[in-house]
Amino acid sequence: MTQDATVIAQMRQLIQLIAKHNHAYYVMDQPTIEDSEYDQLFHQLKALEEQYPHLQQPDTPTVKVGGQALSKFLTVTHAVPMLSLGNVFNQDDLFAFARRIEERLPNQKIEYDVELKFDGLAISLWYEHGVLVRGVTRGDGETGEDITQNVKTIRNLPKFLSPVNGVIPELLEVRGEVLMPKSGFERLNAANAAKGEKTFANPRNAAAGSLRQLDPNIAASRPLAFYAYGIAQCVPHHGQTTMSGSLEWLQQFGFAVGERHFICSSIQEVQKVYEQIIEERSKLSVEIDGMVIKVNDLKQQQKLGFLSREPRWATAYKFPAVAALTTVENIDWQVGRTGTLTPVARLNPVAVGGVTVSNVTLHNIGEIHRLDVRIGDTVSVYRSGDVIPKVEKVWPEFRPANAVEVHLPENCPVCGSPVVMPEGEALARCSGELYCAAQRIETIRHFVSRKAMDIEGLGDRWVESLLHLNLLKDVSDIYHLHEHREQLLQIEKMGEKSVQNLIDSIENSKKTTLAAFIYALGIRGVGETTARMLANTFQTLDALRSADVDALKKTPDVGDITAEWIVDFFQAPHNLEVLDRLLAAGIHWDAPIAPTRQPLNGESWVVTGTLSSMGRDEATQLLQALGARVSGSVSSKTKCVVAGEKAGSKLDKAEKLGVPVINEAQFIALMKEHGQIEE
Ligand code: IVH
């Protein structure tokens, strides 16, 4: 061996030892050596690096991550899509899964590889000649985000592969899950709580929040771990013939795999293993939400293939949702922006699958009746995966004698206006609309938002202060705020400059579009797209105001219910008063392009990739102004795709389906031709 080779071998040995002890310390929470011994290893490595800086290894732990924070993550197209798994929830479903496999592989012996289903975030790792070059999130399965900087900070993840049987693959793409082991999660939350910082609801959120950080130093400070569960690509082929063999092979390279792993020779055995893991679940070092059952033989996997986005050869066997018993302390009614009254059960706080639940929505009065839930009742609350907690059932046997039945209130709990619940509707509403304070704050928030009147600077803090000073009884008062300059200046932390900025942005917002104005009114059922359709169809506010249900229903996107809501809105006298005051204040817009002049009317377009002269939002608006619908995905119905730089899978799909594609220059020429962009 040359001297260099000897030094490299020493460095690699130290790096591996340090990584092993890091894993034991940070991930398993079981330190294997004394701190002082660990420091010695570290210093030995540092000393070698100082003496031979040209041999310093790329994955050395002595170099702090220290990378610059990114301004955003880059998008990467997966070479092999990251698919999802089908689900089974009980023994019958599981056996049916096995039967489907047996039917496709008659007279063959089938062995199942049974793994933990990690409850974290799927990522893909690229190794070129043994060096970790890229880590990408699952994203939508086709494209994900490049989180290499963060991934490199995960301590138990090999950044550099040592040869196995003298071989390192030229290319290896490993799939697996990033998690925060339970012990690390508890430590992180305890430390954050002690510093008065935000704590995370569960390990999954903590892991997701850590990986989403643009500054890799934050991810580095979090106890994350990676567990491998598959190989997406390997050049040259790894030579393994089974799933379990592939996992063992990955382990030899230093990848962690699940702490439990089984090979079952029958589906009945799989069921037993599943039941056993349910029992052991709480003792595992990581959160899991089920098991993954895979056909073990890779050739059989290949024969079984895929069913749309899921493999036929694997399924997730989910654990039953976690549930807990608690009591209902009270039931409050919350009033939303559109005046909807939602009953919320205030619970005696209870931990459900690691999350403390103290409030749970009961959705509507119908649900209260269905459950027959009363104040004082004992209820079981459950949560499955990410799903919001729900009341599963009431336990009447525990009902106290003084349990209180709950009725729909006759008056709004916020403004006292009568509560209405039209025939056939499930939701009750406060009839106070723009007069109700609960609705007012939300109405104002919506009115000033970017896609509505776009009044920059009128954030929540302003709105709250203005409501407090009684300067905003309804949205039209926004346009009279300049008359109260002195009062505005008295609001804490509002200096001359911020008051002037606010008044200026209110003034600027007066010139708008009919579509944005309609959207800003916050009519129920009228989102951004519907507002645009209404503007295109009716052309003037007066025409819309006097339209009846039949006329409204001719607008694309507007059905019976929305049509009725629109009519109701324009019939309520106080809404008309506010509307008139808004127009009197000087809100105006140019006439929209008449539908006859909308050459792309009804066509479905897709914008993808990066455009150099404008954002995708702007391109979308230009297309919509010409009547096109802009969709997020390409299908055979797509009329045309506008492809900017680095257009990925959508461009490929368009080409595959024979959908016409134009580039940015052609798009701009088209917009000029239709007068959307000035020549
Ligand atoms: S194998 C073709 N194995 O579950 C897909 N997935 O619901 C093969 N997951 O997105 C996936 N633990 O992130 C596999 N042991 C395991 C897993 C696992 C967790 C996740 C994975 C996937 C999701 C599908």
Side-chain angles (χ1 to χ4, degrees), residues 81-87 113-123 138 175-179 227-230 243 247 258 288-294 306 309-311 313-316 318:
M82 291 184 79
L83 304 180
S84 54
L85 288 171
N87 287 319
D113 159 276
V114 181
E115 298 170 22
L116 303 181
K117 184 168 189 306
F118 307 109
D119 193 11
L121 286 110
I123 63 163
R138 177 177 188 277
R175 299 272 162 91
E177 203 94 346
V178 175
L179 304 171
Y227 293 90
Y229 57 62
M243 192 64 231
L247 293 183
I288 57 170
D289 57 348
M291 306 295 288
V292 179
I293 322 298
K294 303 176 184 174
F306 296 84
R309 315 281 308 141
E310 298 162 8
W313 45 263
T315 191
K318 290 285 191 71

Side-chain angles (χ1 to χ4, degrees), residues 668-677 679:
I668 289 176
L670 183 76
M671 290 301 119
K672 283 186 177 159
E673 189 186 314
H674 292 301
Q676 288 294 304
I677 298 181
E679 294 281 344

Side-chain angles (χ1 to χ4, degrees), residues 10 34 59 79-80 93 141 260 291 297 319 322 340 398 505 596:
Q10 274 179 22
E34 291 296 321
D59 57 335
V80 179
D93 294 351
R260 297 278 198 287
M291 306 295 288
D297 186 286
F319 290 143
V322 268
T340 313
F398 301 131
S505 67
T596 47

